[in-house]
Amino acid sequence: MFRNNYDNDSVTFSPQGRIFQVEYALEAIKQGSAAVGLVSKTHAVLVALKRNAEELGSYQKKIIGIDTHLGVALAGLAPDARVLSNFMRQQSMSSRLLYNRPVPIARVVNAIADKAQVNTQHYGRRPYGVGLLVAGVDETGPHLWEFQPSGMVLEYRGAAIGARSQSARTYLERNFEAFPDASREELVLHGLRALRDSLAQDKELTTANVSLAIVGEGEKFKLYDGEEVADWLEKLGSTQSSRGSRGAQAAAAPAGASGSGEGGDSMEVDA
Amino acid sequence: MNHLPEAWGRPRDDVYGAYDHSHLRPSMPNQHTQEPIVTGTSVVALKYNGGVVIAADNLASYGSLARFSNMERLKQVGTHTVVGASGDISDMQYLFDTALEDLVIKEEYQNDGHHLRAKHVYSYLSRVMYHRRNKFDPLWNVLLVAGWDDGKPFLASTDLLGTTFSAPALASGFGASLAVPLLRRVCPDEESVAKISRERAIEAVEECMKVLFYRDARSTNKYTMAIVSGEDNKVDIEWKKDVELQKQSWKFAEEIRGYGAQIV
Amino acid sequence: MSLFASPSYPPVGYAASAPRQHAFNPYTDNGGSIIGIAGDDFLIMAGDTRHTSGYNINSRTEKKVFRLSEDSTLVLATVGFGADAKDIAETMRLAVNDFKFQHNLKNMTVQAAAQYLFTVLYGNRFFPKYAYCILGGLDKDGKARLYSYDPVGSYSKEGERRAAAGAASSLIVPFLDNQVEFKNQYVPGTNFTVEREVEYLPVDKVKKLVKDAFTSATERHIEVGDGLQLVTISKDGYQEELFELKKD
């Protein structure tokens, strides 16, 4: 990314009609480790990769519970995500207090979208540097939304954000037709497989670097961390990317995966 | 002469005498409602095995004067709910025509497949009522919320203090004393709701409206009834407007001192 | 005239007649009673389900004991002015829920909830929430803790073994003094010189006491009756039972 005259603030368009500060914010998402979300007819699942889990510190937080029917996975600036999730929590609480109703997922997502958009139109403000996957269940069923600092939100059947997430997205694109009717367990495993595909060649999924959350119709938002994900990883079997180590995992390797990041993938960040 | 800024542009005291400030200042503090003015009397409601029947007469009284005889006191809110109001009519009109109208419009403009049902409307109303009592500026009403929710009939009450409760048979105002005992004979508890048919419920509520007309001097013989019926998630609301009381019998009145021929 | 002469405007305030008193009374009493009794490792919280306005029974099924969250042992019973009572319960429910999501899905301890409830009540010191509260739960060692409050928040951090509040509290408290704290009970044969030592009661005994307290209160107090909501909190979690009381 090169410096130019049009990226000093978020209120100036470049002659090409771009707002560079907002685009840089989108880059911040790609600096964060990957997060994957997907939905079936009954459940919504979030899985995320915790980077640099160190022994001296507590683990990095990738999934934040908002309410019993709703949670987010983040990629990018964690403090920004915390501010946004606190706001979502307020929205959720006031919905319960005033209407005796868990806040509809689309509404709380639109509320943060509006907040984010304001930051793209005021001098002296900074767009949020974080992308979110919002998973939740309301009266219209399970939902997965992606939130971006530009203020854009879209609903997805499966989505992935963060570093090397293109590989996870490739997995989701190839398998999404199976999601709607997938069982709770199958859905989680799809999520883990997608996440696994986003791993670098020498990395694997472990209890230390995987966060997982499930929410469903009649099932409250539950976060699995550390040893709690051991069972899931066992069900998953291989914890290494089927892309990176094709020799060992020939059977599981998708045939048409001949994209850019193939083979000896040494890219730091996905394009 | 007074050169102080606060006297600028004012008639000189030494020429015109001190200004009488009582003309400018309101003689009273801002007032909140301290008593209802134009009022509606009882609202009566009863659950049955497929919904709720709710009724209120069409009279708005100004003290003992029967001031407006075409005042409907039931309002449909969204697709699942009917709210009935007794007490101050202007507060009722604020709630019905402003607050609830805004609420429903805001909800429907979202256009996201979500709709407010009876328990949501009830929660909203009771928060508004309680909030206003906290501000010492109450909405002087008792509200009954009837509807269909989660595949079951819904009926609950809130009032000017924000007090909330729910029961299979409810009535506000005079009806709490006169109608509720009659309704409880039909439906003593939640379990017996399943045994009450729509016709039986309508009949019971009609009977209550009649007894209230006999005994409540602030009532009238013309009323509005709404029947909220549901099946799973489908709701139908039938309205009976400008219903006149049928088969009145004032025979009992002859026994009462002050009615009919005086026997002593 | 002196340059410093004060302007001839009256002080800001109300001229003419004095402000009228507000006729609106923001409180009412919705009757009913609640009891809480702490065992060693269990807790019983109970309340009748009658809701009244004056001589009218509004509802026979309004519960007074509230579970503050579905995965903690926190339980709150409130009685007095129904709107305030429910508002306190809702405030506490949201606080407990929010605490959990703000603290990495850890539940609020019963001690913390007790202190928080004080803050809520005392925060309304100059427009009090007219409700009496009994808060209970199990601490981190699984021991029962019980706290009771007046409307402006006074409570004892040590907690207590039993508490009663509401319309029939004056009938119930002496009964519990005798049956739970063993007041005026003496060791037989000591000629009223050795007091009976206080001990924790077993759960079935406590349940019996609570039912007795409510059936008796129902006999003697018009605002108590209809139904009894009896909640047990133990290592097995939350258990709720409903019993009939006289409806007259």
Side-chain angles (χ1 to χ4, degrees):
Chain A
M1 204 69 59
F2 297 101
R3 274 291 310 224
N4 64 66
N5 288 326
Y6 301 100
D7 69 353
N8 286 312
D9 53 61
S10 62
V11 298
T12 311
F13 278 107
S14 81
Q16 289 77 37
R18 298 161 65 179
I19 297 172
F20 283 103
Q21 280 298 327
V22 174
E23 294 187 19
Y24 298 164
L26 298 176
E27 290 301 313
I29 301 170
K30 298 174 189 164
Q31 307 285 336
S33 58
V36 175
L38 56 171
V39 273
S40 70
K41 281 177 187 162
T42 53
H43 288 83
V45 166
L46 294 171
V47 289
L49 201 59
K50 291 181 286 191
R51 191 189 275 155
N52 306 330
E54 346 177 10
E55 301 213 350
L56 287 175
S58 63
Y59 56 84
Q60 192 190 2
K61 224 175 172 183
K62 288 292 286 182
I63 300 182
I64 304 173
I66 303 295
D67 201 339
T68 51
H69 69 299
L70 166 71
V72 300
L74 62 107
L77 303 182
D80 286 14
R82 220 168 54 101
V83 167
L84 283 169
S85 60
N86 285 341
F87 174 75
M88 291 169 83
R89 209 169 281 141
Q90 275 180 14
Q91 297 280 306
S92 189
M93 294 234 299
S94 73
S95 175
R96 281 181 190 275
L97 191 65
L98 191 56
Y99 301 111
N100 185 213
R101 166 170 77 176
V103 72
I105 311 303
R107 302 220 181 144
V108 72
V109 169
N110 280 312
I112 55 170
D114 290 351
K115 262 173 89 74
Q117 194 280 336
V118 169
N119 289 343
T120 68
Q121 227 182 357
H122 283 268
Y123 188 83
R125 292 205 169 212
R126 159 174 88 69
Y128 290 106
V130 70
L132 300 178
L133 293 176
V134 183
V137 173
D138 60 27
E139 288 184 346
T140 56
H143 298 281
L144 173 71
W145 287 81
E146 183 191 337
F147 158 86
Q148 290 194 343
S150 54
M152 194 211 69
V153 286
L154 269 181
E155 186 163 12
Y156 284 89
R157 284 180 274 197
I161 55 172
R164 307 167 58 86
S165 59
Q166 182 53 51
S167 320
R169 212 145 42 232
T170 304
Y171 177 90
L172 296 174
E173 280 163 11
R174 290 198 180 130
N175 294 91
F176 77 93
E177 276 160 334
F179 297 167
D181 296 308
S183 69
R184 177 180 185 273
E185 182 175 320
E186 282 164 4
L187 197 66
V188 173
L189 293 179
H190 275 305
L192 286 171
R193 280 197 285 269
L195 189 69
R196 188 179 67 184
D197 278 5
S198 77
L199 287 169
Q201 198 175 5
D202 54 339
K203 295 280 181 6
E204 60 176 334
L205 300 181
T206 65
T207 54
N209 69 8
V210 173
S211 261
L212 191 159
I214 307 172
V215 60
E217 282 176 352
E219 181 179 346
K220 290 186 173 175
F221 185 88
K222 171 100 174 84
L223 176 62
Y224 298 85
D225 247 328
E227 283 310 308
E228 295 167 316
V229 297
D231 285 351
W232 287 112
L233 293 180
E234 200 167 309
K235 282 182 190 134
L236 180 67
S238 168
T239 51
Q240 283 192 314
S241 171
S242 52
R243 293 168 56 255
S245 50
R246 231 176 19 180
Q249 293 293 318
S258 52
S260 52
E262 230 348 79
D265 190 355
S266 61
M267 289 185 351
E268 286 294 321
V269 173
D270 292 341
Chain B
M1 183 164 154
N2 183 357
H3 297 275
L4 292 171
E6 50 269 46
W8 294 352
R10 300 267 188 190
R12 287 169 58 179
D13 286 0
D14 51 336
V15 178
Y16 297 99
Y19 190 76
D20 181 358
H21 297 280
S22 67
H23 292 294
L24 270 179
R25 220 176 298 273
S27 61
M28 295 271 279
N30 272 338
Q31 276 204 354
H32 296 152
T33 309
Q34 295 178 48
E35 53 182 347
I37 308 297
V38 178
T39 59
T41 184
S42 319
V43 183
V44 178
L46 176 66
K47 285 191 199 176
Y48 69 93
N49 57 21
V52 191
V53 179
I54 183 168
D57 74 19
N58 293 358
L59 181 66
S61 309
Y62 179 72
S64 59
L65 171 71
R67 183 65 182 79
F68 305 105
S69 51
N70 275 311
M71 185 64 71
E72 256 181 38
R73 294 186 289 118
L74 301 183
K75 182 188 169 65
Q76 182 167 341
V77 182
T79 50
H80 290 60
T81 316
V82 173
V83 180
S86 53
D88 191 276
I89 294 295
S90 62
D91 285 349
M92 176 194 84
Q93 285 173 333
Y94 160 71
L95 280 166
F96 283 7
D97 303 343
T98 306
L100 288 175
E101 202 68 14
D102 282 359
L103 180 77
V104 173
I105 287 171
K106 268 196 198 136
E107 180 77 8
E108 296 305 316
Y109 261 129
Q110 297 270 343
N111 199 224
D112 55 6
H114 292 273
H115 306 280
L116 291 167
R117 297 198 308 275
K119 71 166 173 185
H120 308 128
V121 173
Y122 176 60
S123 173
Y124 172 79
L125 282 173
S126 59
R127 288 320 296 195
V128 169
M129 298 302 270
Y130 185 61
H131 177 68
R132 291 290 292 264
R133 94 103 216 190
N134 285 159
K135 291 204 303 180
F136 261 78
D137 185 14
L139 293 166
W140 213 287
N141 301 103
V142 179
L143 305 171
L144 297 190
V145 180
W148 184 256
D149 211 329
D150 284 339
K152 291 193 299 283
F154 178 95
L155 178 58
S157 158
T158 182
D159 65 10
L160 70 166
L161 296 174
T163 317
T164 55
F165 51 86
S166 128
L170 288 176
S172 62
F174 230 57
S177 308
L178 281 178
V180 167
L182 300 175
L183 295 173
R184 281 191 188 151
R185 247 193 267 180
V186 179
C187 185
D189 49 30
E190 201 65 52
E191 287 72 52
S192 40
V193 171
K195 287 178 262 170
I196 299 163
S197 68
R198 178 191 173 104
E199 292 67 33
R200 182 74 191 90
I202 293 173
E203 185 188 26
V205 170
E206 280 171 348
E207 182 66 15
C208 287
M209 295 312 288
K210 193 149 64 182
V211 171
L212 282 166
F213 179 55
Y214 289 153
R215 296 292 183 181
D216 179 359
R218 305 285 175 267
S219 71
T220 190
N221 60 342
K222 203 170 64 180
Y223 64 93
T224 306
M225 178 186 273
I227 303 129
V228 189
S229 57
E231 212 177 329
D232 298 323
N233 289 319
K234 278 193 56 175
V235 188
D236 179 64
I237 300 181
E238 189 196 334
W239 284 90
K240 294 173 190 264
K241 299 202 175 191
D242 296 328
V243 188
E244 294 229 20
L245 283 178
Q246 299 299 312
K247 288 184 272 181
Q248 292 177 44
S249 164
W250 288 84
K251 252 183 92 98
F252 71 91
E254 291 167 15
E255 312 291 318
I256 297 172
R257 187 184 283 264
Y259 282 95
Q262 197 71 55
I263 321 146
V264 177
Chain C
M1 193 189 262
S2 158
L3 193 67
F4 300 104
S6 56
S8 56
Y9 304 105
V12 178
Y14 303 113
S17 67
R20 250 177 68 191
Q21 276 290 113
H22 283 284
F24 174 61
N25 174 197
Y27 295 114
T28 189
D29 183 355
N30 298 112
S33 267
I34 51 172
I35 292 181
I37 297 178
D40 183 25
D41 58 353
F42 70 90
L43 188 74
I44 301 279
M45 302 276 273
D48 67 326
T49 60
R50 178 173 288 185
H51 190 284
T52 64
S53 289
Y55 290 129
N56 287 329
I57 296 173
N58 295 324
S59 172
R60 302 189 193 275
T61 53
E62 283 296 311
K63 292 178 178 178
K64 292 182 184 67
V65 186
F66 302 94
R67 194 178 187 186
L68 293 184
S69 81
E70 282 181 29
D71 52 4
S72 77
T73 60
L74 295 173
V75 175
L76 174 68
T78 56
V79 71
F81 169 39
D84 279 348
K86 280 188 195 168
D87 185 61
I88 293 165
E90 193 59 22
T91 305
M92 287 301 288
R93 251 173 36 73
L94 289 174
V96 167
N97 185 54
D98 194 45
F99 181 98
K100 181 176 152 164
F101 284 106
Q102 296 270 20
H103 293 81
N104 207 209
L105 305 179
K106 294 281 183 297
N107 273 313
M108 204 186 250
T109 62
V110 64
Q111 290 94 333
Q115 180 67 14
Y116 186 77
L117 178 54
F118 158 77
T119 316
V120 170
L121 292 169
Y122 195 78
N124 291 287
R125 175 62 181 80
F126 298 107
F127 184 18
K129 300 277 178 211
Y130 215 133
Y132 293 84
C133 298
I134 299 176
L135 178 79
L138 302 181
D139 67 14
K140 67 181 198 319
D141 304 317
K143 297 274 183 222
R145 284 180 178 271
L146 188 72
Y147 304 90
S148 83
Y149 300 77
D150 75 358
V152 289
S154 320
Y155 82 110
S156 153
K157 283 194 181 189
E158 285 74 48
E160 39 224 297
R161 192 162 283 199
R162 88 287 177 286
S169 63
S170 56
L171 280 64
I172 296 170
V173 167
F175 173 70
L176 296 183
D177 280 347
N178 181 245
Q179 291 295 308
V180 180
E181 311 251 275
F182 299 159
K183 290 278 158 60
N184 294 101
Q185 287 198 253
Y186 297 90
V187 177
T190 60
N191 198 218
F192 302 103
T193 51
V194 183
E195 290 182 351
R196 181 176 168 196
E197 204 156 312
V198 182
E199 62 198 47
Y200 281 115
L201 299 169
V203 65
D204 47 340
K205 170 80 177 165
V206 175
K207 282 190 188 179
K208 247 179 76 147
L209 286 178
V210 168
K211 284 187 223 170
D212 280 352
F214 274 100
T215 39
S216 306
T218 302
E219 289 295 328
R220 287 287 184 169
H221 201 115
I222 56 168
E223 292 174 352
V224 178
D226 291 334
L228 170 62
Q229 178 197 12
L230 199 154
V231 167
T232 313
I233 302 101
S234 66
K235 63 178 189 308
D236 303 322
Y238 176 97
Q239 190 209 354
E240 181 174 312
E241 296 165 278
L242 284 169
F243 300 97
E244 300 266 301
L245 290 174
K246 281 168 75 170
K247 292 181 172 50
D248 59 2

